[in-house]
Amino acid sequence: MIRGSCLCKRVRFEIQGKLGGSSHCHCSMCRKAHGAAFGSYAAVRVENFRIVAGEELILRYRSSPGVERTFCSRCGSTLQFISQKRPDIVDVALGVLDDDPGIRVPRHIFVASKAPWVEITDGLPQYPQSAPNRAPDDAPKTG
């Protein structure tokens, strides 16, 4: 099990099973949602994600057609990226995990819109838009 929580610790969640595809996203919306150079997310099957406290504090923001981002209404922590294109998957913000997720992010995406003050020097693959190998089925396997 992987545990996570927001900054104020009022919203807490658990993830059962393995995480799926992950990325450091440099699009302007992820940068603004995180207040950082990029947002890091990993895919989780909806049935493996469970809110254990603070569900009433979670607000949703429709950042673009078919996409909602969730955050804690008390402290503002970014929690999830939810796409209607992938109803069985929720992308969890890696920065709010309390435990080691057991993965390392393998790529940077949407680097064509990265912040001009950022230089990516970690040697990971960089994609101008979404990664070609990040398909809708780039999800954790059950079990």
Side-chain angles (χ1 to χ4, degrees):
M1 175 178 31
I2 303 166
R3 293 168 297 150
S5 61
C6 64
L7 179 61
C8 70
K9 303 280 188 203
R10 298 256 176 111
V11 175
R12 294 190 311 276
F13 60 88
E14 295 174 348
I15 299 168
Q16 297 289 335
K18 298 179 181 184
L19 299 180
S22 60
S23 299
H24 297 305
C25 183
H26 292 264
C27 79
S28 62
M29 287 187 280
C30 282
R31 288 190 286 115
K32 289 180 182 293
H34 287 264
F38 52 85
S40 301
Y41 291 94
V44 176
R45 291 199 174 279
V46 170
E47 65 267 19
N48 294 341
F49 182 85
R50 183 173 72 98
I51 302 292
V52 296
E55 189 164 7
E56 71 281 1
L57 295 173
I58 297 174
L59 293 181
R60 293 174 176 261
Y61 172 70
R62 184 171 298 278
S63 60
S64 55
V67 173
E68 288 186 329
R69 296 167 187 268
T70 68
F71 61 95
C72 174
S73 62
R74 185 167 186 266
C75 68
S77 292
T78 296
L79 302 169
Q80 304 163 313
F81 176 97
I82 301 167
S83 173
Q84 288 178 348
K85 291 179 184 176
R86 298 170 26 146
D88 58 331
I89 299 295
V90 60
D91 288 295
V92 175
L94 293 175
V96 295
L97 297 182
D98 297 326
D99 298 320
D100 183 347
I103 62 166
R104 298 300 175 256
V105 178
R107 61 191 154 232
H108 293 269
I109 60 172
F110 292 95
V111 297
S113 60
K114 76 174 183 59
W117 45 266
V118 170
E119 183 179 345
I120 302 170
T121 61
D122 59 17
L124 295 175
Q126 298 178 31
Y127 300 95
Q129 302 298 319
S130 186
N133 59 344
R134 179 113 199 247
D137 64 346
D138 187 12
K141 308 299 180 233
T142 42

